[in-house]
Structures are given as structure tokens and as C-alpha cells.
Amino acid sequence: QVQLQESGPGLVKPSETLSLTCTVSGGSISSYYWSWIRQPPGKGLEWIGYIYYSGSTNYNPSLKSRVTISVDTSKNQFSLKLSSVTAADTAVYYCARVRIAAAGKLGWFDPWGQGTLVTVSS
Amino acid sequence: AIRMTQSPSSFSASTGDRVTITCRASQGISSYLAWYQQKPGKAPKLLIYAASTLQSGVPSRFSGSGSGTDFTLTISCLQSEDFATYYCQQYYSYPITFGQGTRLEIK
């Protein structure tokens, strides 16, 4: 079965760029959509954006100016970059596969990675 | 963005109880709704998609219903492992949005 694993620095300084990678194992990254979702400590879930294996993307407008999601099919990985971070970007970051709903809509998330906590602090 | 509002935000129940969590969308989303369960320190786990379709491997005591703006997640007979936080998620339009969560605690 497909498994996802996030990796990257757990501490990022304010104004710098947060960079995370999600490695997909047990299946190919091709022919699927993949997403990043985050959860500030003690708070709810926020969708960041998605990428198709071909490279097409869609981002949450609330973060669009600072987010870049990319894919490396040769490594079965996709990545997140979030620039100009502040303390408000401190969160557990999850990667997940996006399932396709009826009428071609991108739908629900399954499976998820275990998540990685990124703290923004000097 | 479509706003998803869950109620209650938290409540207590006992094992064996039947519980219902409500999720309301700020505009109609047809049946483009999913439910997740999250336990402390763990990633969310998909329970239901398309408002009422049970994900493979999820116990049948979980069920979902609704369409349009009002949805419910029902747990027919609470088990100890069901005490967790539950989230709804709409995928009718972008940005994809989640409810604020409902925390289910042991009474």
C-alpha cells in the first residue's frame, strides 16, 4: 500500500524559506494528485495546495504568493517551499494523496503522511 | 472560500452511546464532503467520502449523511477507540476547506 513520509528541517528562522519533501513509497507518484496540508499546534487543518504528477498546481489563495509545490517523478517525491515565514507558519505539515471525486473534482485525502512539525523561530 | 462549521466543538459521551456530529457549509456543496478522525499526535484518518461512502476498513458503526449544506457523522455505538477529534472537509470548490473540528471526549 502507498505510504508517504515527510522530511525536512524542524526549525526555520523568520523571513526564511521552509522546505519540505514528501517521499512516496509502495506505489508510483504518477497518475495521481498530491497535496500539502498543515495544522498549527492545537488548531484545525489548512489545505496548502496540490500538484499533479505532470506538474500542474493549485494553491490556496491565502498562501499562493509564498507557496511553490514541485514534483520529481524520478525520485517519487514532491516538495513544498513556503517563503518569508513567520511564527504563524509554525505547524505540523502533512503530505497526502488526493483522490478524485465524481465529475473529475479533486476530492478527499488518503493516505496521509505522519506529519512533521516545523517551528519558525530565531 | 466555503466556510465549514461543525457543531458541537466538543462534547463528552460514554462508550455504547450513539453520537452525531453536524457539519454545515456556508453554501451548497452537493455531496462533496469527507469526514476524518484524528487522534493526538497522529495524522487524520479518512472515514467517509462523498458524504456517505464508508472508506474501506472503517467500522460500520460510522455513517454519514446529508447533501447541500447540512451533513452529519453518526457513530452508532461508541467504542473506546473512537474518542478523538473529527473534521469535515469540502471539496466542491477551491480552496478546499475543513471544519474547525469536534473533539469527542470520554464522560
Side-chain angles (χ1 to χ4, degrees), chain A residues 58-109:
Chain A
N58 191 323
Y59 302 135
N60 191 323
S62 68
L63 297 167
K64 187 174 183 177
S65 63
R66 300 192 292 131
V67 171
T68 302
I69 299 177
S70 59
V71 64
D72 186 337
T73 55
S74 67
K75 294 182 179 179
N76 237 31
Q77 295 176 333
F78 62 105
S79 299
L80 169 70
K81 290 188 185 299
L82 181 66
S83 64
S84 305
V85 296
T86 69
D89 295 309
T90 293
V92 175
Y93 286 76
Y94 295 101
C95 58
R97 185 174 65 180
V98 189
R99 306 313 304 270
I100 304 299
K105 283 183 182 292
L106 267 65
W108 55 96
F109 304 107

Side-chain angles (χ1 to χ4, degrees), chain B residues 21-104:
Chain B
I21 298 168
T22 297
C23 178
R24 175 164 289 175
S26 60
Q27 64 185 75
I29 60 169
S30 185
S31 296
Y32 296 111
L33 185 102
W35 288 98
Y36 301 87
Q37 176 194 68
Q38 186 179 34
K39 296 182 178 179
K42 300 295 186 181
K45 172 189 172 184
L46 176 69
L47 298 175
I48 286 169
Y49 59 92
S52 61
T53 302
L54 198 66
Q55 169 70 349
S56 175
V58 174
S60 59
R61 62 181 181 272
F62 290 92
S63 63
S65 66
S67 68
T69 59
D70 295 315
F71 302 85
T72 59
L73 172 69
T74 298
I75 310 172
S76 61
C77 182
L78 270 177
Q79 303 299 301
S80 57
E81 61 266 32
D82 300 335
F83 292 95
T85 299
Y86 293 85
Y87 292 94
C88 60
Q89 173 231 325
Q90 68 81 19
Y91 47 93
Y92 178 79
S93 69
Y94 297 115
I96 291 171
T97 49
F98 294 85
Q100 82 281 11
T102 295
R103 184 175 178 181
L104 177 54

